Amino acid sequence: TQLLEQSPQFLSIQEGENLTVYCNSSSVFSSLQWYRQEPGEGPVLLVTVVTGGEVKKLKRLTFQFGDARKDSSLHITAAQPGDTGLYLCAGVGSGYALNFGKGTSLLVTP
Amino acid sequence: DVKVTQSSRYLVKRTGEKVFLECVQDMDHENMFWYRQDPGLGLRLIYFSYDVKMKEKGDIPEGYSVSREKKERFSLILESASTNQTSMYLCASSLRQASYTFGSGTRLTVV
C-alpha cells in the first residue's frame, strides 16, 4: 500500500480566512484525486490532477500536483461555512484501488 | 444522475449475527469497492471486485466476505458480527482507474 500523509489533521478557521491542506507521499502516483465528505455522506470527487506541476482551480479552491507527482496541495481562498467537511486526497497507483490519506477535517465558523 | 445506492443508512445488529450490506450501481462500472471508515484511521479497503464473480482482498478482509454475482451489485457479508466491526461502511464504484463514485454509507452498530 502506498501511503499518503495529510496535514493538518484538523483545521478550525473563521469565515473569510485562507487555508492550505497538504497531501504527501514517498511514492509516485499517475494521478491524484481530492474528495470532500460531509457528515453522514460519502465522499464526493472535487478534482483529479494528472500532470506533474499541474494547477487546477475550482471557484475558490486551487489544487496543485507536485512536479514529481508525489504530493499535492489544496488551497481555499476566503473560506465559507459551506466549505466545512472532511477533505481526502487519494492516489492512483498501479492497482485497481485508490490509496487514501486519512483526511483533513475543516470547520469554518461564521 | 449516476448513483451508487447502499441499501441501509443505519443498521443495528447483535453480536454473532450474519450481516449483509448491499450496494448497487447504475453506471456499468467494472470496479466496485467496500471500505470502512473510522475516526483517526481513515478509509480502509476491505475487499474489491474488478469483474463479475471476481474479488480481491484489501487491507483488512478478516471477518468479512463479499459476493458479486451481477455487475451492478456488490455485497459485503459480516459472517459473525462483532463489536469491533461497528463502523461506517462505504461502497464505491469506478471505471478502470478513474475516480470513485461513493454511496452515502451505512452506519453499522453491533451491540
Side-chain angles (χ1 to χ4, degrees):
Chain A
T1 301
Q2 298 162 287
L3 293 176
L4 281 162
E5 299 285 340
Q6 284 189 243
S7 62
Q9 190 176 358
F10 299 100
L11 199 50
S12 180
I13 61 172
Q14 299 271 0
E15 183 176 2
E17 291 184 35
N18 301 332
L19 66 117
T20 302
V21 174
Y22 299 93
C23 176
N24 296 296
S25 177
S26 58
S27 303
V28 175
F29 292 98
S30 58
S31 65
L32 201 139
Q33 301 165 12
W34 285 92
Y35 293 80
R36 181 169 70 207
Q37 183 179 20
E38 297 185 10
E41 297 295 330
V44 175
L45 178 73
L46 294 173
V47 77
T48 301
V49 285
V50 179
T51 306
E54 181 177 3
V55 176
K56 278 192 174 178
K57 292 196 174 186
L58 188 66
K59 296 183 181 177
R60 294 176 293 99
L61 279 60
T62 302
F63 304 85
Q64 186 162 6
F65 201 13
D67 291 340
R69 289 185 287 126
K70 292 183 179 181
D71 56 87
S72 181
S73 63
L74 158 60
H75 182 80
I76 301 179
T77 303
Q80 297 177 2
D83 296 326
T84 292
L86 179 68
Y87 290 81
L88 295 158
C89 66
V92 178
S94 57
Y96 291 96
L98 292 176
N99 299 286
F100 282 90
K102 291 184 179 180
T104 293
S105 181
L106 171 65
L107 174 65
V108 183
T109 53
Chain B
D1 198 14
V2 295
K3 272 190 176 177
V4 175
T5 302
Q6 293 185 230
S7 53
S8 305
R9 293 297 298 268
Y10 300 94
L11 273 180
V12 180
K13 295 292 182 181
R14 296 196 179 277
T15 302
E17 278 193 74
K18 191 168 186 176
V19 181
F20 294 85
L21 302 183
E22 305 288 346
C23 176
V24 177
Q25 51 100 357
D26 65 0
M27 297 163 285
D28 203 35
H29 284 172
E30 301 116 346
N31 303 327
M32 296 188 75
F33 308 86
W34 276 106
Y35 287 84
R36 64 177 285 178
Q37 185 176 31
D38 301 286
L41 298 178
L43 275 77
R44 292 182 291 167
L45 180 65
I46 305 171
Y47 268 97
F48 67 96
S49 168
Y50 53 89
D51 202 351
V52 176
K53 296 192 186 293
M54 306 303 290
K55 59 185 178 185
E56 293 285 343
K57 292 180 180 179
D59 299 319
I60 51 163
E62 296 79 17
Y64 303 94
S65 62
V66 289
S67 172
R68 194 166 180 201
E69 296 297 317
K70 294 185 177 181
K71 192 174 186 179
E72 67 270 19
R73 187 180 296 270
F74 192 36
S75 303
L76 179 69
I77 303 149
L78 285 66
E79 298 291 343
S80 177
S82 63
T83 54
N84 63 12
Q85 292 178 310
T86 291
S87 185
M88 169 73 119
Y89 289 87
L90 289 163
C91 174
S93 72
S94 76
L95 192 61
R96 301 183 198 93
Q97 286 187 322
S99 61
Y100 283 15
T101 301
F102 281 91
S104 296
T106 295
R107 185 163 293 282
L108 172 67
T109 302
V110 182
V111 297

